[in-house]
């Protein structure tokens, strides 16, 4: 029996239990119109212009993994939260909690990785803080990054914007980050080349908006990156926020064979695996093919594909998967936590 | 013998070892003009105006203490970092790391405390993130808060601005926070009523600037809050940044009798104890008495007093204490970590 009075790993899943915890503990008390929007980043109006502001803590285990480390991940994660609002990142903060006894050599590697990631997106770290706790009171290193971005005029992205007839586009293969972390943690008895997809999406999003007309930009309804909780959880959040049904097609969703193999072996579903360099776009049908061809021009979007559509809500707000064998099933939000500390 | 290759608690002291770690690991790699200023908050120019941006992680132990808890402390700390740049806080972020098994009742108390502190300064929490790690991989709860503030025109505060002839003002009693944490941790065999001074300084700083003329405002050279590392460390940082000698007078520095008693018993120096609701102002001599009388009008500044002056550098950059018994001694930056996890 699970206790209701203590924090469980499930509360950190990014899925159902996280949402419930946030609502019952924090939203109830901290309630304000900006926080309640629950987007990937907040919108602040200042001097008649709009800024995006976001925060994320990273507790990934292990701290080094194929395709990245906690340093690069912490920059990409916050850059992507800004990018999902269509914001151009301008400044990052860095808050580091270290465990006594942590290797300074490893800290140097992580700092180099942070520096490289920050440079690659042209967004400096302008403020930082370091704390140390006793051995056994933290696990090596935890990193918080917060970020400020500038919101362009003429863009209006919100999880509430999906409407029937819209098209769902996914920017590439899913599950790579989750599978890479899992494999690097468990030392399973087989060798794969799965790497985390950890990458900054800001350039790809900029490339998209730069190549659309003002009118077309308004047909980009929302962008979301399916991190903790995976594609299934993000689609459920969109369905709930917009009050629509979302229908997706299993055969259209790109999953690498290696990731499929790992999922089959371990009884996991790639729809729930975390991604750190992918996004879902909900766009008006009339611009779908143009959006796809623009995304495919960029290395991070070359495997973009249309995976489904938005329908009028029938049986409540839900996500329906058309399976490869011709059936239909409801895909709920992630419940429980199969893979703690994925980011 | 201390190892050079691992992180020690000393690296989190806020004193000498923290400064060395930041320089050797982070500044070297993340180098940019904003970060290098090393002020309490960074200054970002946007739309022709200036914003302040700051971050702080809180790992205080215990999480509840006389005068506050980790929740209120995490809001006050970041609000104060903005206030020390003369910025009006407009938005806060909240990043929480929870240990599996942490009490939801305690989390509710902390969330209420965060809400109350945020409301009391009129600065909303606009974006948040929650992570959970396995039992034994963190100590109950760690909180990161980042904050954005608006910098007023006609204010120019920097640790580099102290010049010979300036006066050092302290806003009240020192050592309360450090002593309160220490006592709540050790269950010493005596009863005191020492409470943490944790408080938001933004209203007091606003009160100060509102009551000065434009010309007088420019005579406020810098504001710093002596948190980790205490008054001694902040004065050393100012001395080093401005290339001046700082001379203070022991008899002028307000220390409560209870705090003195604890320090004598435990062999601690109140100059190195942390404060969470006090600041040091370096001001031009001609406005010193006006600044003092303005500060004394506000409850958080009623014990403000002049504690010393800025001299031309003689024997390098240093802080000189004139003791009550008539001697002089050099007060170095904090070295080592007498009280880990004070904030």
């Amino acid at each position: 029996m699970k206790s209701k009075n203590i924090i469980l790993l499930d509360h950190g899943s990014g899925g159902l239990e996280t949402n419930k915890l946030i609502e019952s503990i924090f939203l109830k008390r901290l309630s304000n119109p900006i926080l309640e929007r629950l987007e990937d980043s907040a919108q602040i109006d200042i001097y008649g212009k709009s800024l995006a502001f976001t925060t994320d803590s990273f507790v990934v285990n292990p701290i080094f993994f194929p395709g990245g480390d906690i340093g690069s991940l912490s920059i990409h994660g916050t850059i992507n939260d800004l990018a999902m609002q269509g914001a151009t990142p301008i400044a990052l903060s860095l808050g580091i909690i270290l465990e006594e006894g942590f290797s300074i050599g490893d800290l140097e590697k992580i700092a180099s990785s942070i520096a490289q990631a920050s440079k690659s997106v042209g967004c400096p770290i302008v403020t930082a803080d370091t704390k140390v706790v006793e051995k056994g009171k933290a696990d090596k290193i935890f990193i918080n990054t917060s970020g400020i971005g500038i919101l362009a005029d003429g863009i209006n992205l919100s999880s509430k914007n999906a409407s029937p007839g819209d098209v769902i586009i996914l920017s590439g293969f899913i599950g790579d980050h989750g599978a890479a972390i899992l494999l690097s943690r468990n030392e399973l008895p087989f060798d794969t080349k799965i790497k985390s997809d950890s990458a900054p999406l800001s350039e790809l999003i900029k490339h998209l908006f730069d190549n659309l007309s003002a009118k077309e930009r308004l047909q980009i309804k929302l962008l979301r990156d399916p991190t903790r909780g995976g594609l299934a959880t993000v689609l459920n959040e969109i369905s709930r926020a917009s009050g629509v049904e979302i229908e997706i097609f299993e055969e259209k969703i790109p999953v690498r064979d290696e990731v499929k193999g790992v999922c089959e072996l371990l009884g996991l579903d790639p729809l729930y695996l975390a991604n750190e360099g992918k996004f879902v776009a909900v766009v008006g049908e009339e611009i779908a093919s143009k959006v796809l061809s623009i995304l495919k021009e960029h290395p991070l979007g070359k495997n973009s594909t249309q995976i489904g559509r938005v329908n009028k809500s029938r049986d409540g707000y839900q996500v329906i998967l058309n399976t490869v064998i011709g059936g239909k099933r409801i895909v709920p939000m992630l419940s429980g936590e199969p893979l703690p500390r994925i980011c």
Side-chain angles (χ1 to χ4, degrees), chain A:
Chain A
M1 205 187 78
K2 286 183 178 182
S3 166
K4 287 197 168 173
N5 302 316
I6 60 168
I7 293 293
L8 307 168
L9 284 172
D10 294 357
H11 287 122
S13 67
L16 197 62
E17 293 79 7
T18 307
N19 282 315
K20 281 185 182 166
L21 185 79
I22 289 171
E23 279 169 26
S24 67
I25 309 272
F26 294 107
L27 282 187
K28 204 171 122 184
R29 290 172 175 82
L30 302 176
S31 176
N32 66 65
I34 307 178
L35 186 64
E36 276 159 14
R37 288 179 70 238
L38 292 178
E39 302 289 349
D40 283 335
S41 53
Q43 185 174 328
I44 307 166
D45 294 318
I46 177 172
Y47 304 131
K49 300 273 186 172
S50 288
L51 292 182
F53 184 30
T54 190
T55 193
D56 234 333
S57 296
F58 295 84
V59 297
V60 66
N61 172 29
I63 55 175
F64 298 101
F65 48 82
D69 60 44
I70 191 171
S72 52
L73 185 67
S74 70
I75 302 300
H76 296 159
T78 288
I79 290 292
N80 291 350
D81 280 347
L82 294 172
M84 293 304 105
Q85 292 302 112
T88 305
I90 56 163
L92 292 169
S93 70
L94 181 67
I96 296 188
I97 297 172
L98 296 168
E99 183 189 13
E100 181 188 13
F102 184 61
S103 149
I104 287 188
D106 283 350
L107 185 60
E108 286 174 330
K109 275 187 219 164
I110 290 166
S112 293
S113 170
I114 288 170
Q116 203 274 325
S118 155
K119 267 177 206 144
S120 80
V121 292
C123 182
I125 287 152
V126 298
T127 182
D129 176 64
T130 307
K131 294 290 187 313
V132 181
V133 299
E134 306 90 330
K135 193 155 182 66
K137 299 296 184 184
D139 193 9
K140 299 184 185 76
I141 179 170
F142 300 147
I143 299 181
N144 177 283
T145 46
S146 301
I148 299 176
I150 294 180
L151 282 162
D153 291 334
I155 295 178
N156 174 24
L157 305 173
S158 165
S159 295
K160 293 191 172 68
N161 287 352
S163 56
D166 287 345
V167 160
I168 320 267
I169 288 171
L170 175 65
S171 69
F173 288 92
I174 60 164
D176 294 2
H177 179 74
I181 294 293
L182 186 65
L183 290 171
S184 62
R185 205 182 282 173
N186 280 311
E187 305 195 18
L188 292 177
F190 52 82
D191 192 32
T192 78
K193 296 202 173 83
I194 303 173
K195 275 187 183 177
S196 167
D197 60 345
S198 178
L201 294 168
S202 46
E203 291 298 319
L204 174 56
I205 302 299
K206 184 177 185 303
H207 177 71
L208 172 61
F209 281 110
D210 282 353
N211 284 284
L212 293 174
S213 70
K215 198 180 155 199
E216 287 167 337
R217 278 176 205 155
L218 291 173
Q219 285 299 306
I220 307 286
K221 307 294 187 73
L222 66 93
L223 304 171
R224 290 289 306 273
D225 57 337
T227 56
R228 275 189 298 178
L231 181 62
T233 297
V234 155
L235 292 178
N236 271 279
E237 286 171 358
I238 296 168
S239 156
R240 189 172 137 179
S242 292
V244 294
E245 178 185 280
I246 285 176
E247 184 176 17
I248 52 173
F249 298 86
E250 191 173 17
E251 62 181 10
K252 304 275 192 185
I253 299 170
V255 185
R256 292 181 206 283
D257 287 341
E258 297 97 319
V259 173
K260 272 185 197 154
V262 169
C263 283
E264 275 164 24
L265 195 75
L266 301 174
L268 294 167
D269 183 340
L271 290 175
Y272 293 94
L273 288 185
N275 310 279
E276 294 290 346
K278 298 292 160 13
F279 68 89
V280 169
V282 175
V283 309
E285 194 177 9
E286 61 273 32
I287 63 158
S289 64
K290 182 163 182 184
V291 166
L292 275 173
S293 59
I294 296 169
L295 292 177
K296 285 180 178 180
E297 289 162 7
H298 191 282
L300 291 174
K302 67 181 181 203
N303 297 307
S304 294
T305 182
Q306 179 175 333
I307 61 162
R309 61 190 173 222
V310 178
N311 298 326
K312 217 176 136 187
S313 171
R314 286 176 289 197
D315 257 344
Y317 316 138
Q318 55 188 17
V319 178
I320 308 285
L321 178 75
N322 293 281
T323 65
V324 283
I325 54 166
K328 274 183 193 287
R329 69 174 172 91
I330 292 173
V331 178
M333 189 173 278
L334 176 64
S335 176
E337 174 52 290
L339 299 170
R341 298 177 62 192
I342 208 75
C343 63

